[in-house]
Amino acid sequence: MTDLVAVWDVALSDGVHKIEFEHGTTSGKRVVYVDGKEEIRKEWMFKLVGKETFCVGAAKTKATINIDAVSGFAYEYTLEINGKSLKKYMENRSKTTNTWVLHLDGEDFRVVLEKDTMDVWCNGQKMETAGEFVDDGTETHFSVGDHDCYIKAVSSGKRKEGIIHTLIVDNREIPEILE
């Protein structure tokens, strides 16, 4: 990887993916790696600007690297996810998902709730869940190993805040992380 010009970390429901881009400005080479695996390789491209589009993660999320000339032989590389800049995508994602990281039985687990579908992901796997209505809201139950887990959804009572989601593992509340 001698022509490595850009590296991005992209947090999706199935995990955090590393995207690397090589751009040989003398050879016209373009190589895209996702999590260390080569996704695109183009040699001898005479047009040094343009874009490369590929998929990331289990949900095959669309990603595009834009290559723009800044001045002379300097280039700017920007990553778009689902047609939005990485920054905009991550800002929007923080509104549509909740993420928790927990340590169980000597292992780290990353649990993600997709609020629009109520899908629950754990370490890259979509979990089998069971929903249940309770007095003050809903509970979405699932298991991680031998541990009983559920995400409790309760109204905040404030319109701006909306619904508050809390992860409970073995009757213990897990703090949410902001990605």
Side-chain angles (χ1 to χ4, degrees):
M1 280 203 222
T2 52
D3 295 319
L4 189 67
V5 292
V7 178
W8 297 274
D9 288 319
V10 180
L12 300 177
S13 295
D14 67 335
V16 179
H17 299 278
K18 182 184 219 118
I19 297 171
E20 297 167 289
F21 184 55
E22 284 184 40
H23 189 216
T25 52
T26 50
S27 65
K29 175 179 77 172
R30 295 182 191 176
V31 186
V32 175
Y33 298 92
V34 177
D35 299 326
K37 184 177 164 280
E38 190 177 293
E39 290 295 320
I40 295 173
R41 175 177 288 271
K42 293 181 179 168
E43 305 279 354
W44 305 108
M45 303 254 324
F46 294 105
K47 193 168 178 228
L48 293 174
V49 294
K51 54 179 61 179
E52 293 298 337
T53 300
F54 52 98
C55 294
V56 180
K60 300 275 181 237
T61 304
K62 182 181 162 201
T64 302
I65 295 172
N66 295 301
I67 308 153
D68 298 300
V70 183
S71 64
F73 289 101
Y75 297 90
E76 182 180 72
Y77 308 96
T78 52
L79 180 66
E80 290 179 359
I81 304 293
N82 278 344
K84 293 185 181 84
S85 73
L86 182 59
K87 186 177 187 291
K88 270 266 178 276
Y89 177 81
M90 296 315 286
E91 284 169 4
N92 185 51
R93 193 172 159 71
S94 68
K95 294 177 192 136
T96 60
T97 62
N98 289 78
T99 304
W100 298 270
V101 172
L102 53 143
H103 194 74
L104 294 173
D105 306 325
E107 226 181 307
D108 285 327
F109 294 92
R110 180 175 176 271
V111 176
V112 178
L113 168 68
E114 292 182 351
K115 295 184 208 176
D116 52 351
T117 58
M118 291 306 285
D119 286 340
V120 176
W121 293 74
C122 182
N123 287 6
Q125 300 295 312
K126 195 164 151 188
M127 303 301 286
E128 200 64 45
T129 61
E132 181 184 336
F133 289 100
V134 292
D135 287 345
D136 52 353
T138 63
E139 293 177 357
T140 303
H141 292 262
F142 59 101
S143 295
V144 173
D146 298 332
H147 300 272
D148 293 324
C149 311
Y150 66 93
I151 296 172
K152 191 170 182 67
V154 182
S155 171
S156 64
K158 298 182 188 92
R159 203 160 162 218
K160 274 237 184 275
E161 283 178 40
I163 296 170
I164 297 169
H165 296 88
T166 310
L167 174 63
I168 312 289
V169 177
D170 297 332
N171 297 317
R172 203 181 75 221
E173 186 175 321
I174 307 297
E176 184 182 351
I177 64 158
L178 300 170
E179 289 187 308

